[in-house]
Amino acid sequence: MTTAQSALTQLKARLAEVADLERVGMLLAWDQEVAMPRGGAEARAQQRASVERLCHERFTDDRVGELLDAAVAETPLDEDLLAVTRRDLDKARRIPGDLVAELVHAAATGHEAWTKAHAASDFTPFEPFLRRNVELRRQYIACFPEVPRPYDALLDDFEPQMRTEQAQDVLGRLRDGLIPLVEAAAGPPADAILQGSSFPVDAQRGFVETVLRQVGVDDERWRLDVAVHPFAATMGLGDVRLTTRYAPDDLDSLYSSLHEFGHGLYEAGIDPALARSPLQGGVSSAVHESQSRLWENMVGRSSGFWRWGFPHLQAAFPDRFAGRTWQDVHRAVNAVRPSLIRVTADEVTYGLHIALRFELELALFEGDLDPADLPEAWNERTRAYLGLEVPDDAHGVLQDVHWAEGLFGYFPTYALGTVISGQLWARINADVPDLEERLARGDFGPLREWLAERVHRHGRRLTPTELVARAAGGPLDPEPYLDYLRAKLAGSAPLVG
Amino acid sequence: MTTAQSALTQLKARLAEVADLERVGMLLAWDQEVAMPRGGAEARAQQRASVERLCHERFTDDRVGELLDAAVAETPLDEDLLAVTRRDLDKARRIPGDLVAELVHAAATGHEAWTKAHAASDFTPFEPFLRRNVELRRQYIACFPEVPRPYDALLDDFEPQMRTEQAQDVLGRLRDGLIPLVEAAAGPPADAILQGSSFPVDAQRGFVETVLRQVGVDDERWRLDVAVHPFAATMGLGDVRLTTRYAPDDLDSLYSSLHEFGHGLYEAGIDPALARSPLQGGVSSAVHESQSRLWENMVGRSSGFWRWGFPHLQAAFPDRFAGRTWQDVHRAVNAVRPSLIRVTADEVTYGLHIALRFELELALFEGDLDPADLPEAWNERTRAYLGLEVPDDAHGVLQDVHWAEGLFGYFPTYALGTVISGQLWARINADVPDLEERLARGDFGPLREWLAERVHRHGRRLTPTELVARAAGGPLDPEPYLDYLRAKLAGSAPLVG
């Protein structure tokens, strides 16, 4: 074996160990949300910190850099592995250990402060914690002096290699396209068929399981559990875990399950050859979100889905849906109704919630918005985009936990993912012209296969830009998504009955 | 801070990290048995190997030895910490890395070979794997040239500092005391009140939960799950996890739950000051087993327990127990019936199953028993101790997985634990004279408190010998346990109604 070959082998072994530790960290987090008795919180925090620290140490260790310099790729896969590892290592090494520790600590204390402030609906005591997070993120940005704009450094953590300018352009066009749609949709209140306290949790669970089995979940490789804040986590090949939550008075459990299924299916579809390497994972937050939004919205709110699903819904809740039709449900799940809370927003207004947050983040890091002035700026934009008055901070600036944890640059990926889902959906329907009929028969196979081939299997081998260009046929573009919404709202789309 | 103080601080931090990794390894194992979809097996094996390797590396690292040499204890707790760490480190460093890897590999392949051989009830194909395990354990023994007898090195892994001679003496006396008890108890078949397929699993679950709540399990710090082979695992302070299994045709779920509760209560009762250190854990396998056997047998088969528990049993299975009394159940759970399988053996014959295994292990490592001759030796001893003919290897030498995994020296601790439980039980009843009346009222608090004070809180601070001497008032002695059995079988004990 040559020195270069030996270096490559040793590097892969070290990266595999780091990948194992990352998955172990995910299991610790999954278990904490799903299984752990509350009394285990303190020990778990220490276990997670130890695993994260070791994971960071083993990756940023000088030895990894030496092996990376000595290794020579033998295959195209190796080339991708070395390129992604170089990029990850360069980023990880830029951040001083002290700053990493401060960011982690500020996230934890910020979360705690937010919990109290949110419960009291009072921004004022939370403001110093938010200010601290902003300051620390400025220090983080300073570790990347070469980026053209400060926000670029934040965005890059979630959307590798995307520039703020592009995000601004795409989200601006999305916002401008959504506002008239929301105005046009304003009308009589939607049918209350999906509201009111009569969805027994056991029946919901049975219905959700029926849907998940049909779209592609099996007991051999998946689990479904309950969590307060639903999420998906992949522990390794053949071990994908979804969570949802059941409220007695709505069917949000279905949509959160389909959303997390989209995330899980992405991870489950990554080429097994990438296992235990930095290439095993979703390529960006937006691409990940494109998968969850596609299953939640494009599939879960389609007429095809409900033509298949309605009899199962009726069987689960016979009293509730006696004498109703799939069209009633389809109409209800597509109702547009401006509201104050992002996580329960409808498909159309959701993008405006994101545009608002993205613009405020830009103003905080690149403009002259002071953290103290956030509530006012928030309420102003809510008035402008959604036509609503914010009654209190809990229904306004305090509703999301992201900023409390120092997560800036994350929000835009929700809307960028939605944009990508629109582009993919247009391509899928062109490639599989009878898709709606197939969904109506409960045949989700062709959709899964299309996504696996075009998106999932690549893992992190392509850049997000390359992936979107290949899968969607061009750069990020909100028009296909806006067209999809326009067609649905006009009731004329092939997918709307 | 002095150099010695700094070394102590750094040493504690490193040991805390190692302790975290050990608990993480436990979670990986727990999850694999309880939650993991089968498709995750390959990734999980790699994750467990990575965590175990790191744990071993971080502990046996030269730095730990340097810190240990430089550190000076400031408190009695520090002294115990340094002593236990020195001992653990000395043992861990004796074993060459290659041998560790071979032992792990042979355990995995041995397990696989055993699974097939057990299913086919054929010892022959399994014999080479067993032989390999014996050979490797001889190499392991050779790492401890100073021990007086080869088996001492094996026993020490489970029963620190115990010598084979002592185990042989105690188990010999136990065996000689049990044989006449088994012969005397031979009589008409026991009441079939607890046999036959009419214990619906949901009702069992409810009954087991009622019992566990009463003995001391709460949702804040405990979980109960189902596993094929029941076990207990403690993830940290306030996170104790029990498992059991439900068969539709017996009430073994109760006894396996009480058994695992005994293990869990031990870990839950360790002084929080020992958390995240090598002192946080049970002091030996036998002491651990004394706790599980005490709750399973001394409590769970006592008249006091059934005076309290019978109405709950009746409520769970109203048809089954209509017109019966607590005495009927008490008699049935104490029936003595020689049988071939250890794990379903009654309380009295159980010790003979262990004596047989211990004697065969001694013959393998210190006598001239060849692995090929094990089945014959097994069958012979079964005839001598239990008066039974072994019809096939699955009901004989192949029934347990321990040897397939290279676990030699483990079996005797089951019986040593039983012996200790007898000594503790005698002391508890002397200290709490109205214990039976308290159990009959469902008051398990005094028993828990006695055990916490005398046994649990010490963790690994005392040696097993010191702990037994203090808690039981003397060295290991099978007489109290034999007296307890004799009294129960004579129907004259204060604890037998």
Side-chain angles (χ1 to χ4, degrees):
Chain A
M1 206 189 276
T2 67
T3 312
Q5 284 173 325
S6 162
L8 186 63
T9 304
Q10 288 179 58
L11 178 67
K12 284 180 181 174
R14 174 65 73 98
L15 294 176
E17 181 190 84
V18 171
D20 285 339
L21 288 177
E22 279 175 359
R23 299 288 165 170
V24 167
M26 281 185 208
L27 181 69
L28 289 168
W30 174 87
D31 182 79
Q32 184 166 355
E33 299 301 320
V34 169
M36 189 186 80
R38 279 180 298 170
E42 193 186 327
R44 181 55 49 88
Q46 287 156 332
Q47 290 154 4
R48 290 180 68 174
S50 286
V51 168
E52 274 169 37
R53 195 178 50 246
L54 261 178
C55 195
H56 183 78
E57 275 180 30
R58 300 292 286 177
F59 182 57
T60 57
D61 190 52
D62 289 343
R63 185 78 190 126
V64 174
E66 290 162 17
L67 291 170
L68 199 49
D69 290 341
V72 174
E74 294 175 349
T75 65
L77 180 57
D78 291 344
E79 272 171 39
D80 295 338
L81 175 71
L82 295 180
V84 166
T85 304
R86 269 191 206 101
R87 194 183 127 78
D88 288 353
L89 188 62
D90 173 60
K91 286 199 73 168
R93 282 179 162 178
R94 296 274 196 112
I95 322 303
D98 287 352
L99 180 55
V100 172
E102 280 191 276
L103 285 165
V104 169
H105 183 254
T109 55
H111 185 109
E112 210 183 319
W114 172 83
T115 305
K116 286 181 199 156
H118 181 255
S121 191
D122 184 3
F123 180 80
T124 314
F126 175 62
E127 191 262 346
F129 295 90
L130 182 66
R131 187 178 297 277
R132 175 77 181 139
N133 281 340
V134 171
E135 279 167 13
L136 287 173
R137 283 292 154 190
R138 286 193 201 281
Q139 291 178 36
Y140 182 84
I141 291 168
C143 301
F144 302 90
E146 76 281 13
V147 298
R149 290 173 54 171
Y151 195 84
D152 289 344
L154 302 177
L155 190 59
D156 192 86
D157 282 352
F158 306 101
E159 225 32 51
Q161 293 161 306
M162 179 175 280
R163 295 298 187 196
T164 304
E165 199 180 324
Q166 190 189 1
Q168 227 169 347
D169 168 61
V170 173
L171 295 189
R173 285 157 61 204
L174 177 68
R175 178 200 57 209
D176 296 344
L178 289 176
I179 288 175
L181 285 180
V182 174
E183 283 165 1
D191 186 341
I193 187 171
L194 291 181
Q195 274 151 5
S197 54
S198 53
F199 293 103
V201 167
D202 280 348
Q204 283 190 56
R205 187 175 290 118
F207 177 61
V208 163
E209 285 173 1
T210 299
V211 170
L212 288 182
R213 258 197 305 279
Q214 194 76 20
V215 295
V217 165
D218 62 64
D219 291 343
E220 184 75 21
R221 302 185 306 146
W222 302 74
R223 284 184 62 96
L224 175 67
D225 295 275
V226 169
V228 177
H229 301 287
F231 65 98
T234 304
M235 303 307 162
L237 279 176
D239 184 357
V240 184
R241 305 186 182 191
L242 312 179
T243 60
T244 189
R245 61 181 166 200
Y246 300 97
D249 57 353
D250 62 42
L251 274 185
D252 289 352
S253 60
L254 169 67
Y255 287 102
S256 89
S257 300
L258 281 170
H259 182 97
E260 302 309 336
F261 169 72
H263 284 305
L265 190 69
Y266 186 1
E267 302 267 338
I270 293 171
D271 182 354
L274 313 186
R276 302 182 74 219
S277 86
L279 298 176
Q280 184 186 28
V283 71
S284 78
S285 299
V287 174
H288 236 303
E289 203 66 17
S290 77
Q291 300 306 295
S292 54
R293 302 282 289 170
L294 189 146
W295 285 94
E296 177 188 356
N297 292 329
M298 275 77 180
V299 174
R301 299 183 202 277
S302 71
S303 52
F305 175 82
W306 281 110
R307 282 160 63 194
W308 167 78
F310 184 69
H312 298 284
L313 186 71
Q314 264 186 324
F317 308 98
D319 296 346
R320 181 84 186 212
F321 294 104
R324 307 304 293 254
T325 66
W326 71 262
Q327 287 91 340
D328 295 333
V329 175
H330 181 248
R331 202 174 303 115
V333 300
N334 284 293
V336 180
R337 205 179 302 106
S339 60
L340 289 166
I341 301 295
R342 174 183 65 88
V343 295
T344 52
D346 62 74
E347 188 182 4
V348 180
T349 56
Y350 188 87
L352 297 176
H353 288 268
I354 298 305
L356 175 160
R357 285 156 180 77
F358 173 58
E359 289 162 19
L360 294 178
E361 288 188 350
L362 279 179
L364 276 174
F365 285 95
E366 300 190 349
D368 56 2
L369 180 62
D370 187 272
D373 300 327
L374 256 183
E376 202 189 314
W378 181 288
N379 299 348
E380 221 167 72
R381 273 195 168 71
T382 303
R383 208 174 295 125
Y385 295 165
L386 295 163
L388 296 173
E389 290 300 322
V390 176
D392 54 51
D393 293 337
H395 289 83
V397 67
L398 284 179
Q399 67 182 270
D400 295 309
V401 75
H402 301 59
W403 293 342
E405 296 178 349
L407 288 173
F408 299 100
Y410 193 140
F411 277 127
T413 69
Y414 290 141
L416 295 170
T418 301
V419 163
I420 297 170
S421 72
Q423 293 177 267
L424 295 177
W425 193 242
R427 290 287 291 226
I428 296 163
N429 278 280
D431 289 350
V432 186
D434 62 342
L435 185 63
E436 190 200 345
E437 286 308 315
R438 285 174 174 273
L439 299 192
R441 293 198 303 268
D443 178 10
F444 298 91
L447 173 57
R448 278 200 310 271
E449 285 151 24
W450 194 98
L451 293 169
E453 172 61 25
R454 303 297 188 95
V455 179
H456 302 168
R457 69 183 175 89
H458 301 292
R460 297 178 69 205
R461 290 191 68 177
L462 305 173
T463 66
T465 306
E466 286 168 350
L467 183 85
V468 171
R470 286 206 207 175
L476 251 68
D477 178 6
E479 278 309 311
Y481 177 65
L482 289 167
D483 283 344
Y484 149 86
L485 287 182
R486 287 176 196 125
K488 185 150 67 170
L489 294 172
S492 65
L495 292 190
V496 177
Chain B
M1 207 190 276
T2 67
T3 312
Q5 284 174 326
S6 161
L8 186 64
T9 304
Q10 287 178 59
L11 178 67
K12 284 180 180 172
R14 174 65 73 99
L15 295 175
E17 181 191 83
V18 171
D20 285 339
L21 288 177
E22 279 174 359
R23 299 288 165 170
V24 167
M26 281 185 208
L27 180 69
L28 290 167
W30 174 87
D31 181 80
Q32 183 165 358
E33 299 302 319
V34 170
M36 188 188 81
R38 279 181 298 171
E42 193 186 326
R44 179 55 49 88
Q46 287 156 333
Q47 289 154 5
R48 289 181 68 173
S50 286
V51 168
E52 275 170 37
R53 196 177 49 247
L54 262 176
C55 196
H56 183 78
E57 276 179 31
R58 301 290 287 177
F59 181 57
T60 57
D61 191 50
D62 289 343
R63 185 78 189 126
V64 175
E66 291 161 18
L67 292 169
L68 200 48
D69 290 340
V72 174
E74 295 174 351
T75 65
L77 180 57
D78 291 344
E79 271 171 42
D80 296 337
L81 176 70
L82 295 181
V84 166
T85 304
R86 268 190 207 103
R87 193 184 128 78
D88 288 354
L89 188 61
D90 173 60
K91 286 199 72 167
R93 282 178 161 179
R94 296 272 198 115
I95 322 302
D98 286 353
L99 181 55
V100 172
E102 280 189 275
L103 286 164
V104 170
H105 183 255
T109 55
H111 185 111
E112 209 183 320
W114 172 83
T115 304
K116 285 181 198 155
H118 181 255
S121 190
D122 185 2
F123 180 79
T124 313
F126 174 61
E127 191 263 346
F129 294 91
L130 182 66
R131 186 176 296 278
R132 175 78 181 138
N133 281 340
V134 172
E135 279 166 14
L136 287 172
R137 281 294 152 189
R138 284 192 202 282
Q139 292 178 36
Y140 181 85
I141 290 168
C143 300
F144 302 89
E146 77 281 13
V147 298
R149 289 173 55 171
Y151 194 84
D152 289 344
L154 302 177
L155 190 59
D156 192 85
D157 282 353
F158 306 101
E159 223 37 48
Q161 294 161 303
M162 180 176 280
R163 295 301 187 193
T164 305
E165 201 180 322
Q166 189 188 3
Q168 228 169 347
D169 168 61
V170 173
L171 296 189
R173 285 158 61 204
L174 177 68
R175 179 201 57 206
D176 295 344
L178 290 176
I179 289 176
L181 285 181
V182 173
E183 283 165 2
D191 185 341
I193 188 170
L194 290 180
Q195 274 152 4
S197 53
S198 52
F199 293 103
V201 168
D202 280 349
Q204 282 190 55
R205 187 174 290 117
F207 176 61
V208 163
E209 285 172 3
T210 298
V211 171
L212 288 181
R213 258 197 307 278
Q214 195 76 20
V215 294
V217 164
D218 62 64
D219 291 344
E220 184 74 20
R221 304 185 307 147
W222 302 74
R223 283 184 64 95
L224 174 68
D225 296 275
V226 169
V228 177
H229 301 288
F231 64 99
T234 303
M235 303 306 163
L237 278 176
D239 184 357
V240 184
R241 305 186 182 193
L242 311 179
T243 60
T244 189
R245 61 180 165 199
Y246 300 97
D249 56 355
D250 61 42
L251 274 186
D252 289 352
S253 60
L254 170 67
Y255 287 102
S256 89
S257 300
L258 281 171
H259 182 97
E260 302 309 336
F261 169 71
H263 284 305
L265 190 69
Y266 186 1
E267 303 266 337
I270 293 171
D271 182 353
L274 313 186
R276 301 181 75 221
S277 88
L279 298 176
Q280 184 186 27
V283 71
S284 78
S285 298
V287 175
H288 236 303
E289 202 66 16
S290 77
Q291 299 307 294
S292 54
R293 303 281 290 169
L294 189 145
W295 284 94
E296 176 188 356
N297 292 328
M298 274 77 180
V299 176
R301 299 183 201 277
S302 70
S303 53
F305 175 81
W306 282 110
R307 283 162 62 195
W308 166 78
F310 184 69
H312 298 284
L313 186 71
Q314 264 187 324
F317 308 98
D319 297 345
R320 181 82 186 214
F321 294 103
R324 306 304 294 256
T325 65
W326 71 261
Q327 286 92 340
D328 295 332
V329 175
H330 180 247
R331 203 175 302 116
V333 300
N334 284 294
V336 181
R337 206 181 300 109
S339 61
L340 290 165
I341 301 295
R342 175 184 62 89
V343 295
T344 53
D346 61 74
E347 187 183 4
V348 180
T349 56
Y350 187 88
L352 296 177
H353 288 267
I354 299 305
L356 175 160
R357 285 156 180 75
F358 173 57
E359 290 162 18
L360 294 178
E361 288 189 349
L362 279 179
L364 276 174
F365 285 96
E366 300 191 349
D368 56 2
L369 180 63
D370 188 272
D373 299 327
L374 257 183
E376 203 188 312
W378 182 288
N379 299 349
E380 223 167 73
R381 273 195 168 70
T382 303
R383 208 174 294 127
Y385 296 163
L386 295 163
L388 296 173
E389 290 300 321
V390 176
D392 54 50
D393 293 337
H395 288 83
V397 69
L398 284 179
Q399 67 182 269
D400 293 309
V401 75
H402 301 59
W403 294 343
E405 295 177 349
L407 289 173
F408 300 99
Y410 193 141
F411 277 127
T413 69
Y414 290 140
L416 295 170
T418 302
V419 163
I420 298 170
S421 72
Q423 293 177 267
L424 295 176
W425 193 242
R427 290 287 291 227
I428 296 162
N429 277 281
D431 289 349
V432 186
D434 63 342
L435 186 63
E436 189 200 346
E437 285 308 314
R438 285 174 175 271
L439 300 191
R441 293 199 302 269
D443 178 10
F444 299 90
L447 174 56
R448 279 199 310 270
E449 285 150 26
W450 194 97
L451 292 169
E453 173 61 25
R454 303 296 188 98
V455 180
H456 302 168
R457 67 184 176 90
H458 302 292
R460 297 179 68 204
R461 289 192 69 177
L462 304 173
T463 66
T465 306
E466 287 168 349
L467 184 83
V468 171
R470 287 207 207 174
L476 251 68
D477 177 6
E479 279 308 311
Y481 177 65
L482 290 166
D483 283 343
Y484 150 85
L485 288 182
R486 287 176 195 124
K488 184 150 67 169
L489 294 172
S492 66
L495 291 188
V496 176

